[in-house]
Amino acid sequence: MMKLKIITLASLVLSFSVLADVPPSAAVCAGCHGQQGQGVEPLGPRLAGLPASYIEKQINLFQTGQRQNPTMQSMSMMVQGDAINQVAEYFAAMDVPLVKPHFRGEKADYPDATERLVYQGDWDRVIPACVTCHGPSGLGVGEFPRLAGQQASYIKSQLLAWQSGTRKGDLDGVMHNIATKLTPSEIDALSQYFATLK
Amino acid sequence: MKKIPLILLSLIMIPAVQADELPDTQTELVSVPKLASQTYLKPRPLNAIPDGEFGDKVRKGYELFVNTQQLRGKYVGNELNCSNCHMDAGRKANASPLWAAYFAYPAYRKKNDKVNSFEERIQGCFTYSMNGKAPASGSAELVALSAYSYWLGMGGVMDMAKLDSPVPAISDALLLQGGKLADFPIPEKVKSMMTIDELAKLPGKGFPLVPKPPLAYSPVRGEKVYQAHCQSCHGADGLGYETAGVYSLPPLWGPDSFNWGAGMHRVNTAASFIYENMPFGKSIQLTAQEAWDVAAYVNSHERPQDPRYKGDVSKLMTKYHKHQGYYGQAVDGSPILGSHSYAINPKGE
């Protein structure tokens, strides 16, 4: 019995240390995004739990200038070849806080205008609900990144980047199209909403 | 005693076709070209749904429409929700809005001398589009979906007639019939503005007709369109994407999509839908040719079997599939479509 416990403990310690070991290729990211990709506001957004394919694509977009950010333009160039996939897989595998998803159709009436945008959109302005593409509670689906628990300052900066065109890479400009319809106060409110989603 | 509407009488007098024959409730809606000057009915905001028994039915209808997966295994046999195709929860013009459909039923069809009530039309959606099992006539689910549709439609036309009173509650039996009844309770001010026939053809009904393509549609060309414009949301395999058990990005073919009896399997219907409503949140981004081609590509993949199937693909094809679709055909060297179809209502009780 005792032996078993020791083994379990040892393997726990072992697995933890494996997890905590940042691959050399990701060390360059950890400064701003955190050792576990948990994010360091306002230096770098959370990467933990984002799909590896999404992270890879973003590195590529920074490298090719389709996403413009002075820091990331040079930092992304420091990750090349196989390292791109290694970095992506490493951060994708990191734990993210659990969020109890709220499902569309749980209720019809959202008195709060921000929640209404998130779960029903505003089709008078042809703005679909955020959760249609970003998944229940913005947990992320396929190529559409998780918004739940992301830093508010980052979500805001990205919505503004989609508006101004300094962030590209969305197919057929779908995100640009939506972002340009959002008002400054909606952008603030949506950023706060997703950042604080529990 | 109130006079029984003529159309109801005919309903009572015409016996059901054959008990073992599923009704063809997903026949093609007549699509009309979109006019630039068109204005559309605007349904009331959802926070205007009244409190009380009637309002509860309307709310329930909305909830079922948007989260149809709560009926999974009972009446739903795939990963779709009604709101996947009926944009903005059935409120958006030109995306088959519920408010327009409601006033178009009961619909008499010369072809088989049958009248379909609104309830029967929704039953068809469960059988075909949702690859499930139709809730029984008069069930709470059908009442709720009908109530939601009625409330959207009636509120919208009342607003057009400058009537800001609440939408009058009506009986379940009437809700299930649909609004195209000779003595359906319609406020006088609305009646003086529009006839029943005009109400049945509200602008924005169904999907507007996509222009004819210069070339015959081609799934081979469609594959390229799919890869360029559709795949990032619906996946290279067409199976959509799921998070927390919800396919917010719906599967377009395969075991968890609509079956071979659903209206959307017709290339022309899908082309019209796609042309008007895709990519999501944008409209008319593809050329008509691209919309036709990609509709052909999507609909030339295997999907759940047509529920009217009785063991013979070619017989079913001759009987029900004489239209622009691929059921019973081999595409690009594939096995005959329909011969390897997926299960109908696979997790059904």
Side-chain angles (χ1 to χ4, degrees):
Chain A
M1 187 63 198
M2 191 64 193
K3 204 173 147 193
L4 187 73
K5 265 189 185 163
I6 290 165
I7 291 172
T8 321
L9 195 69
S11 63
L12 258 177
V13 171
L14 187 72
S15 68
F16 181 73
S17 69
V18 168
L19 274 177
D21 259 349
V22 184
S25 47
V28 66
C29 317
C32 294
H33 293 284
Q35 295 273 324
Q36 274 84 46
Q38 72 274 25
V40 182
E41 195 165 10
L43 297 178
R46 186 167 76 194
L47 304 179
L50 290 171
S53 59
Y54 172 79
I55 299 176
E56 272 191 58
K57 186 178 171 187
Q58 302 316 305
I59 295 173
N60 181 268
L61 290 171
F62 281 121
Q63 289 178 342
T64 55
Q66 294 178 77
R67 272 190 82 169
Q68 294 168 22
N69 175 281
T71 311
M72 277 307 291
Q73 222 123 34
S74 50
M75 295 305 278
S76 63
M77 299 308 272
M78 297 170 77
V79 187
Q80 297 287 348
D82 292 345
I84 296 178
N85 179 257
Q86 280 169 20
V87 168
E89 294 287 350
Y90 170 75
F91 288 117
M94 293 292 132
D95 285 339
V96 266
L98 284 177
V99 168
K100 189 180 172 288
H102 173 87
F103 296 106
R104 293 190 71 192
E106 279 185 21
K107 55 179 184 174
D109 181 18
Y110 292 88
D112 179 72
T114 306
E115 285 193 18
R116 203 155 57 235
L117 261 184
V118 171
Y119 295 102
Q120 296 176 328
D122 180 357
W123 282 88
D124 288 344
R125 293 184 285 159
V126 201
I127 300 174
C130 310
V131 297
T132 312
C133 292
H134 291 276
S137 293
L139 291 172
V141 187
E143 283 190 20
F144 300 90
R146 175 175 166 135
L147 304 174
Q150 188 54 280
Q151 298 153 6
S153 59
Y154 174 73
I155 298 177
K156 178 177 176 176
S157 72
Q158 293 316 297
L159 284 169
L160 295 173
W162 284 119
Q163 276 191 342
S164 66
T166 54
R167 180 170 180 175
K168 291 198 174 81
D170 54 337
L171 211 68
D172 292 319
V174 284
M175 196 59 223
H176 168 75
N177 170 52
I178 293 165
T180 50
K181 294 171 183 167
L182 296 172
T183 66
S185 62
E186 282 172 339
I187 288 179
D188 280 334
L190 287 168
S191 305
Q192 279 302 326
Y193 179 81
F194 282 113
T196 54
L197 207 57
K198 293 277 187 290
Chain B
M1 198 191 125
K2 249 181 132 181
K3 212 171 73 187
I4 300 172
L6 201 64
I7 222 153
L8 257 185
L9 250 179
S10 64
L11 248 183
I12 298 161
M13 287 164 75
I14 297 166
V17 206
Q18 286 145 335
D20 64 336
E21 200 78 8
L22 278 168
D24 189 10
T25 49
Q26 295 233 319
T27 46
E28 212 163 319
L29 294 174
V30 180
S31 288
V32 290
K34 201 165 134 185
L35 301 173
S37 59
Q38 212 107 69
T39 54
Y40 302 110
L41 175 148
K42 195 173 174 303
R44 292 180 177 177
L46 293 167
N47 61 15
I49 301 174
D51 290 332
E53 200 188 336
F54 172 66
D56 288 345
K57 288 175 194 168
V58 176
R59 258 184 296 276
K60 184 74 191 159
Y62 169 82
E63 291 162 9
L64 289 170
F65 199 79
V66 174
N67 178 15
T68 324
Q69 286 298 312
Q70 61 188 291
L71 303 175
R72 185 68 194 267
K74 197 175 178 193
Y75 302 127
V76 171
N78 60 20
E79 292 289 356
L80 301 183
N81 293 291
C82 307
S83 53
N84 287 143
C85 296
H86 304 268
M87 308 271 157
D88 191 18
R91 299 162 52 87
K92 187 180 171 294
N94 297 319
S96 271
L98 290 175
W99 43 260
Y102 190 75
F103 289 115
Y105 289 89
Y108 172 72
R109 295 186 49 235
K110 261 187 190 158
K111 195 176 155 196
N112 56 0
D113 197 26
K114 244 186 86 36
V115 173
N116 280 336
S117 63
F118 191 68
E119 163 187 64
E120 283 175 293
R121 185 63 180 80
I122 307 175
Q123 284 180 314
C125 299
F126 281 100
T127 307
Y128 301 107
S129 304
M130 307 310 290
N131 191 36
K133 191 185 112 183
S137 170
S139 62
E141 289 83 0
L142 295 177
V143 169
L145 288 164
S146 304
Y148 175 52
S149 311
Y150 161 73
W151 182 81
L152 291 176
M154 187 55 86
V157 290
M158 284 172 67
D159 285 354
M160 285 162 85
K162 309 252 181 298
L163 282 171
D164 59 3
S165 48
V167 171
I170 57 173
S171 72
D172 289 357
L174 210 46
L175 280 174
L176 294 165
Q177 286 301 317
K180 202 185 175 189
L181 287 172
D183 59 357
F184 192 81
I186 290 170
E188 282 307 322
K189 264 183 102 171
V190 174
K191 266 189 194 164
S192 62
M193 180 181 72
M194 250 187 265
T195 66
I196 284 192
D197 285 332
E198 283 166 339
L199 271 174
K201 289 177 196 154
L202 285 170
K205 174 172 175 268
F207 310 129
L209 197 62
V210 59
K212 281 213 161 40
L215 306 168
Y217 57 79
S218 147
V220 177
R221 278 197 308 267
E223 183 175 11
K224 301 267 186 311
V225 180
Y226 185 84
Q227 287 163 348
H229 299 282
C230 318
Q231 164 167 311
S232 69
C233 286
H234 297 286
D237 53 11
L239 302 184
Y241 288 103
E242 166 268 334
T243 286
V246 176
Y247 276 77
S248 15
L249 302 169
L252 304 183
W253 64 82
D256 292 318
S257 190
F258 54 88
N259 68 37
W260 278 115
M264 196 58 92
H265 93 276
R266 281 190 291 264
V267 177
N268 51 328
T269 303
S272 290
F273 169 78
I274 293 165
Y275 184 67
E276 177 64 30
N277 293 295
M278 287 286 125
F280 192 59
K282 297 189 101 180
S283 179
I284 316 188
Q285 299 291 302
L286 303 176
T287 64
Q289 184 71 58
E290 287 171 326
W292 280 92
D293 290 345
V294 80
Y297 176 70
V298 166
N299 282 325
S300 57
H301 289 85
E302 202 49 284
R303 51 181 66 261
Q305 185 56 269
D306 188 325
R308 298 162 296 195
Y309 174 75
K310 288 181 182 142
D312 190 332
V313 171
S314 67
K315 258 192 194 156
L316 191 84
M317 181 193 169
T318 323
K319 190 162 182 193
Y320 290 113
H321 287 263
K322 283 183 175 164
H323 50 234
Q324 293 175 306
Y326 286 104
Y327 187 83
Q329 295 179 45
V331 177
D332 212 10
S334 75
I336 298 265
L337 289 163
S339 64
H340 292 77
S341 290
Y342 299 99
I344 298 162
N345 200 18
K347 295 178 188 165
E349 280 163 359

